Amino acid sequence: MSEAQKKRVKRDLSGWLVFNKPYDMSSTEAVGKLRWLYGAKKAGHAGTLDPLATGILPIAFGEATKTVPIVQDGTKIYHFDIVWGQATSTDDIEGEVIATSDVRPTGKALEAVLPRFTGLITQIPPAFSAIRIGGERAYDLARAGHKLDMPPREVEIDALEVIAHTPERSKLSVTCSKGTYVRALARDIAEALGTRGHVGALHRAQVGNFTDADAVALEQVESIDLAARDALLLPVAAGLADLPEIRLDARQAATIRLGNPVLLTGRDAPVALDEAWASLKGEAVALGFVEAGQFKPRRVILG
């Protein structure tokens, strides 16, 4: 059987690929391409990344798709450029220029305004975003020429710092919660400085426990055979590092895999946890919670 034929065989495989998404590829396209390369029956991604953005797009195969919401809720780190003096319809380089300003902020002024954008802040998302309004995606309505009244949302900004600054362009790093729009952040920082601005480049450097250090480029995946590709996958448990781990013995794991709760014993056994994951010898068994000293599974992860 040829390598091309092998790729087309749908395989049951589970794990995470920490994909370094290239510029001008959508998240959906990335999933489709990698699912084909791996011949996987099931695949998904944890957190949409704009086509014009690069960086960490965690790709889940098989049983790892059950843990996608956990990874999506993880902290994000972005590196982004603000181009000063122009606002665009999309708040990035893809849109039309809709306003200009001759004001160019100093590095000192930029540093001084950043505390206003840390902590819990309110954003108005860009009109060109995936938010649903009346059942329709905002970007579809915006492209059709509709004037949108985007609902504000609260997001958490843990850290915001300047990496480099010039009069025309500045590079910043932001550590933030799920749901943060970096394009809105760039727009609002510029307006707070009495000017206009848009995102000129955007790179996601971290999603939850996955970082640039783990990232694999498309060219690397394409250049190796199927066995070597499989070796790039991280286990399902790699996406669960932010949750408390409940370690089971073989008997308990068998009970959990039938969907039944187990009583946790031992001096350090937790009595209550809103979220946790159960493991057997380091491998994920289930997602669930602890109540009255029992681990109760919500989603069983097949071995």
Side-chain angles (χ1 to χ4, degrees):
M1 184 181 290
S2 71
E3 179 68 15
Q5 288 172 318
K6 288 180 182 178
K7 291 175 189 174
R8 290 180 174 84
V9 174
K10 298 300 183 185
R11 302 192 299 145
D12 282 313
L13 78 161
S14 295
W16 286 98
L17 182 74
V18 185
F19 184 53
N20 185 6
K21 190 191 78 66
Y23 180 85
D24 209 20
M25 173 184 276
S26 74
S27 297
T28 300
E29 288 171 338
V31 171
K33 179 72 173 178
L34 289 162
R35 183 181 178 186
W36 184 83
L37 286 168
Y38 275 88
K41 284 185 178 179
K42 190 174 185 180
H45 65 76
T48 301
L49 201 56
D50 289 343
L52 301 184
T54 63
I56 303 299
L57 181 68
I59 306 292
F61 293 108
E63 293 296 287
T65 58
K66 296 177 180 178
T67 69
V68 161
I70 306 299
V71 176
Q72 282 181 330
D73 285 344
T75 298
K76 316 291 192 304
I77 296 179
Y78 295 91
H79 300 155
F80 65 103
D81 289 7
I82 303 179
V83 178
W84 303 112
Q86 292 182 332
T88 70
S89 57
T90 57
D91 296 316
D92 62 21
I93 58 174
E94 191 175 37
E96 298 177 1
V97 175
I98 57 174
T100 61
S101 172
D102 293 329
V103 175
R104 299 293 183 270
T106 65
K108 186 176 180 180
L110 176 58
E111 293 274 7
V113 82
L114 295 188
R116 292 167 53 180
F117 294 93
T118 56
L120 195 63
I121 68 169
T122 300
Q123 284 190 326
I124 297 177
F128 286 83
S129 63
I131 292 173
R132 289 191 180 275
I133 298 178
E136 300 287 336
R137 295 290 188 186
Y139 53 66
D140 289 330
L141 296 172
R143 288 185 185 122
H146 294 279
K147 184 72 173 176
L148 301 180
D149 185 16
M150 300 298 291
R153 59 167 59 184
E154 284 191 336
V155 297
E156 185 81 22
I157 306 295
D158 297 319
L160 184 59
E161 61 181 337
V162 179
I163 298 173
H165 173 76
T166 70
E168 300 302 322
R169 193 181 187 106
S170 298
K171 180 178 289 293
L172 292 86
S173 175
V174 60
T175 304
C176 57
S177 68
K178 173 186 176 182
T180 302
Y181 278 93
V182 177
R183 288 178 291 149
L185 184 63
R187 176 199 67 208
D188 295 345
I189 289 172
E191 291 180 358
L193 289 165
T195 186
R196 300 287 186 161
H198 65 272
V199 169
L202 177 62
H203 177 83
R204 187 157 67 190
Q206 183 171 331
V207 178
N209 194 47
F210 300 138
T211 71
D212 275 338
D214 308 308
V216 177
L218 179 60
E219 295 78 11
Q220 182 180 351
V221 180
E222 290 179 320
S223 68
I224 55 180
D225 63 21
L226 204 54
R229 287 174 191 159
D230 287 355
L232 295 174
L233 297 182
L234 301 178
V236 174
L240 302 174
D242 290 339
L243 289 184
E245 178 183 0
I246 306 298
R247 296 179 181 178
L248 307 175
D249 59 31
R251 179 187 59 80
Q252 290 173 317
T255 300
I256 290 292
R257 284 192 164 122
L258 292 174
N260 299 316
V262 295
L263 181 66
L264 305 177
T265 59
R267 184 182 62 183
D268 298 324
V271 175
L273 289 170
D274 291 337
E275 280 191 298
W277 67 286
S279 67
L280 175 64
K281 297 179 180 179
E283 293 189 3
V285 174
L287 300 172
F289 62 100
V290 178
E291 183 179 69
Q294 289 186 315
F295 179 84
K296 299 183 177 182
R298 288 192 178 105
R299 299 205 74 178
V300 172
I301 297 168
L302 303 177

